[in-house]
Amino acid sequence: MLEVINLSCVRGTRRLFTALNFAVNPGELIELRGANGSGKTSLLRILSGLATPAEGEVRWAGKNIRSLGEEYSGTVAYLAHQNGVKDELSALENLRIACGVAGNDLSKVDARAILAQVGLSRQQNLPARSLSAGQRRRLALARLLTSKATLWILDEVLTSLDDTAIRLSRQFIGGHLNKGGMAIIATHQELELSADRMQRIELSK
Amino acid sequence: MFGWLVWRDLILAWRRRADVLATVFFFVIVVSLFPLGIGPERETLRTIAPGVVWVAALLASMLSLGRIFGNDYQDGTLEQLLLTPQSTYLIVLGKILAHWLVSEVPLVIIAPLLGLQFGLSQNSLAIMVLSLLLGTPVLSLIGSIGAALTLGLRAANVLIALLVLPLYIPVLIFGTGAVQASVGGTSPQPYLLLLGATLVLSLVFAPWATSAALRISVE
Amino acid sequence: MSSQRINWYKYAAPANFYPLAGKMIPWFAVLTALLFIAGLYVGFFVAPTDFQQGESYRILFIHVPAAWMGMFLYVLMAVYAGIGWAFNARLASMMATAISTTGAIFTFISLVTGSLWGRPAWGVWWVWDARLTSTLILLFLYIGFISLQSSIDEPRRADRAGAVLALVGLINVPIIYFSVQWWNSLHQGATITAKSFKMAPSMLASMLILLAACWMYSIAVVLVRVRYIIREREREAPWLAEAVA
């Protein structure tokens, strides 16, 4: 489904990676590893369509994602370093507004159910400003759960999560893969996921 | 989706209403400084009033431009917005509409009060409000391009001024022209028509340029 | 004609353009010097004294070409920036950056000389005449472009952000010029304009020769600047070490 062809990325005068090739098919997981500054985030941003590569292309179902545009955005969920959480809004508002803006309206009841799933039931009406780093990450995870995307692109998904939340996110990712979804995950921690087909890509410095 | 986006920005502005009020007070203070600097003769004040109100509106709206995308850029919600399966043009248009409602409409509402201080007639005040209603959306539209280009840069606020103020000049000329014409007893209609034309033109082009600029800045 | 097609794509790569530009610079520099000497000679010794303005009108020989250059170069800069953005052509973006400084300098020169000409003609150093005002705004547009590019560290973003700004400016320039004309016609300011005196053929000749000189100068200087930009941006590229050595 997703093909990466001869991809290279340049930051300033520095070449982060060259001639990168791989493919992801339904049910597959890619674990992306590499030291700090090796270009993991840059690669994920290119894959999500936010950044353009210096050379090469990314194809979705055989077509360049540049030409697909918004059609591609609908199939991708990107969880970045930053959680994309608004401080002034409550957890519930954050979730419902994020979904509404993305075009899949979420009722209050459904939103509460999903917040309960990530363990934010008690905090649902607190402004996000008062949430801890881990709780904000959980909120970002909740947004991921509501998306209908088939391709999950996750940057350091496990950072600042506690043991329960880590177990939870493994469970979510596993469930997503079982349903035929795809995931590309940059991480420093062990994912300990038992996907049927898993590739590990190591970016060297 | 469009409704959700505008609604979101309105709630956010309401929860940070101090920022909005600061812009309005800035506008009021700048306008009030002119009689103090120039002297209280009614005739002089009446001739400079259109220019003073319009220049102050330009500066006040410019102060708020950084907020269109700045906060969203910092907390990562802007990326999420760009990754929604919606056209960037619509997203940008929604954000501009919200900015206009939050930062420009209060200026339009308060402008007649300031015009009274300068001894403008009722007719001129009405023309002033009309010209501001037509002109301020253009300020938001053109300003959004500058805001998108300077996202995340050092000294972004000063830079926005350099980029955007020269582009504001036609609006300033047509806007003040309309009010001056009405003060001088001639028809403000040609100016208002030109303002309207500028509005249409910038509605077509500006969101497009802003989308392109956002994609470049976010990368 | 078509039997000797030049491979333009080859020269669109900085590695090939760098030595080519190096070879072209001396030619344009010599042309600049010759044309300047010729133009100034015609301007000072051949062109007659104007019956209305005396000798002071001669400053127009540099003012008018500078003003034209300021405008031409803005358009050229926007076109190059646009090409660089649309086709991902790095060299075109570098050209735009190189042109911006030269364009701003010409615009500035035309403002200063305009004001020097205005002193005897109008009796004051500055009048808000339509032409001077729009030239001033053009200078602001250049300043915006240059400051935007210089405050972005990542060259790719600087190129593309500059392109958006230059193109937006290009769409706006006619509107700004029109609005300033309109504004000026209502606030009747200046009475004498550069147009109001009759030009002898030798005056026109001097102006055109100096315009050509300005073009040659711009090309030479832009090439020099592009070479600097290439050297800065490609400092890690192996070909550069060979080319410089």
Side-chain angles (χ1 to χ4, degrees), chain B residues 145 149-151 153-154 159 162-163 166-167 169-170 173-174 180 190-191 194 201 205 209 212-213 216-217 219, chain C residues 85 137 140-141 144 147-148 151-153 156-157 160-161 164-165 168 172 175-176 178-180 182-183 186-187:
Chain B
I145 305 175
L149 285 173
T150 54
L151 262 191
L153 298 181
R154 302 168 254 122
L159 203 53
L162 286 183
L163 304 189
L167 302 177
I169 288 169
I173 289 176
F174 300 146
Q180 271 168 351
Y191 295 96
L194 282 170
L201 204 66
F205 284 110
I216 291 167
S217 297
E219 188 164 306
Chain C
W85 179 34
I137 297 168
F140 292 160
L141 291 179
S147 18
L148 177 67
S151 58
I152 303 178
D153 298 325
R156 211 158 92 115
R157 179 176 167 189
R160 299 161 80 196
V164 172
L165 184 67
V168 169
N172 261 281
I175 303 175
I176 293 176
F178 165 73
S179 67
V180 169
W182 169 292
W183 163 82
L186 286 159
H187 299 262

Side-chain angles (χ1 to χ4, degrees), chain A residues 149-194:
Chain A
T150 37
L151 175 63
W152 284 9
I153 297 178
L154 313 177
D155 200 350
E156 300 294 349
V157 64
L158 304 180
T159 1
S160 58
L161 290 178
D162 57 18
D163 289 346
T164 3
I166 289 181
R167 220 174 308 127
L168 213 57
S169 33
R170 281 189 186 126
Q171 199 184 313
F172 293 154
I173 298 167
H176 174 66
L177 294 173
N178 285 338
K179 278 186 289 179
M182 293 164 249
I184 301 171
I185 305 176
T187 181
H188 289 296
Q189 280 139 303
E190 277 307 318
L191 282 175
E192 294 174 20
L193 276 168
S194 51

Side-chain angles (χ1 to χ4, degrees), chain C residues 41-122:
Chain C
Y41 177 78
V42 176
F44 277 108
F45 300 108
V46 181
T49 307
D50 185 64
F51 75 95
Q52 213 183 359
Q53 302 178 40
E55 302 293 343
S56 68
Y57 84 94
R58 289 183 204 273
I59 199 156
L60 292 182
F61 293 149
I62 191 66
H63 168 72
V64 173
W68 283 341
M69 289 309 293
M71 281 187 282
F72 289 147
L73 288 179
Y74 191 87
V75 176
L76 197 64
M77 174 186 89
V79 168
Y80 266 120
I83 292 174
W85 179 34
F87 301 107
N88 209 359
R90 283 177 302 148
L91 187 62
S93 304
M94 294 181 197
M95 285 294 283
T97 309
I99 290 171
S100 65
T101 323
T102 311
I105 290 172
F106 271 120
T107 312
F108 184 69
I109 290 176
S110 99
L111 276 181
V112 171
T113 52
S115 141
L116 286 177
W117 173 76
R119 180 75 180 106
W122 294 319

